[in-house]
Amino acid sequence: MRETFYYRKNISPGTCLVLFFAGLLTGIFFVQTLDDSDFAGIFSEYFLNQYASLKIDYKRLLQYVGGYRCGQYFFLICCGTLGAAPLIAGGMLLLLGMTWGTMISVSTVRLGLKGVLICVAGIVPQIFFYLPAFGWVLLWLWKKGSSRKKYLLLAAIGFFFLIFGIVAEVYLNPLILQQLLRKM
């Protein structure tokens, strides 16, 4: 007897939230199991003081962030055409939640409320562009989209939001973080 696996053609917003928050809690739990000596690095006072006075090479940062974000976006766009797209998108949301949970936990353990403010400043203003860019692909999965033309149109519109998000992440976010770190 041959066994086949069928994936639902859609994924609900509730399922996405559950997966994201499950990843968030997993990241928090992971940090709570570590020793305090394991928290050296990016959230140390020394690193943050260095970053506050750092001269940023915007050209190299644009190449790095642009390549990384475009790669993520095109991977998600390509995965959206597969039958297993809900499973892949769910896995990506779980990993995103784990990353954010780990980052927020480490920053809170190392720096307290100041660490939370740094984490929030680290995703502003680009998050306002990335949410629509990536959200439209998820919306496509939620609504059981079947028209390739509409999917490509959403992907193209999302790409413009992605470009604005990359520009905001490269040119605005470092200025916001440096100003915040100088005042703390």
Side-chain angles (χ1 to χ4, degrees), residues 17 20 73 76 93 96 100 123 125-139 142 158 161-162 165:
L17 285 175
F20 177 76
Y73 188 70
L76 188 61
L93 284 170
L96 180 67
W100 283 19
I123 62 170
Q126 66 267 23
I127 192 75
F128 299 116
F129 297 106
Y130 289 152
L131 280 177
F134 288 93
W136 280 329
V137 177
L138 291 175
L139 182 65
W142 294 337
F161 275 89
L162 181 76

Side-chain angles (χ1 to χ4, degrees), residues 100-144:
W100 283 19
T102 303
M103 181 181 65
I104 290 171
S105 294
V106 169
S107 68
T108 304
V109 167
R110 294 283 298 174
L111 303 168
L113 183 59
K114 185 167 77 169
V116 174
L117 291 174
I118 291 169
C119 285
V120 170
I123 62 170
V124 173
Q126 66 267 23
I127 192 75
F128 299 116
F129 297 106
Y130 289 152
L131 280 177
F134 288 93
W136 280 329
V137 177
L138 291 175
L139 182 65
W140 179 262
L141 296 174
W142 294 337
K143 299 293 183 181
K144 298 182 185 181

Side-chain angles (χ1 to χ4, degrees), residues 14 19 26 28 30 33 35 39-40 49 55 77 100 102 107 130-131 135 145 150 152 155 158-159 170:
L19 287 169
T26 303
I28 292 168
F30 173 72
T33 61
D35 272 345
F39 297 136
N49 289 333
K55 172 130 174 60
I77 294 295
W100 283 19
T102 303
S107 68
Y130 289 152
L131 280 177
K150 288 181 184 176
L152 291 176
F159 183 72
V170 170

Side-chain angles (χ1 to χ4, degrees), residues 85-104:
L87 182 65
I88 295 168
M92 289 176 74
L93 284 170
L94 184 73
L95 288 174
L96 180 67
M98 288 175 64
T99 302
W100 283 19
T102 303
M103 181 181 65
I104 290 171

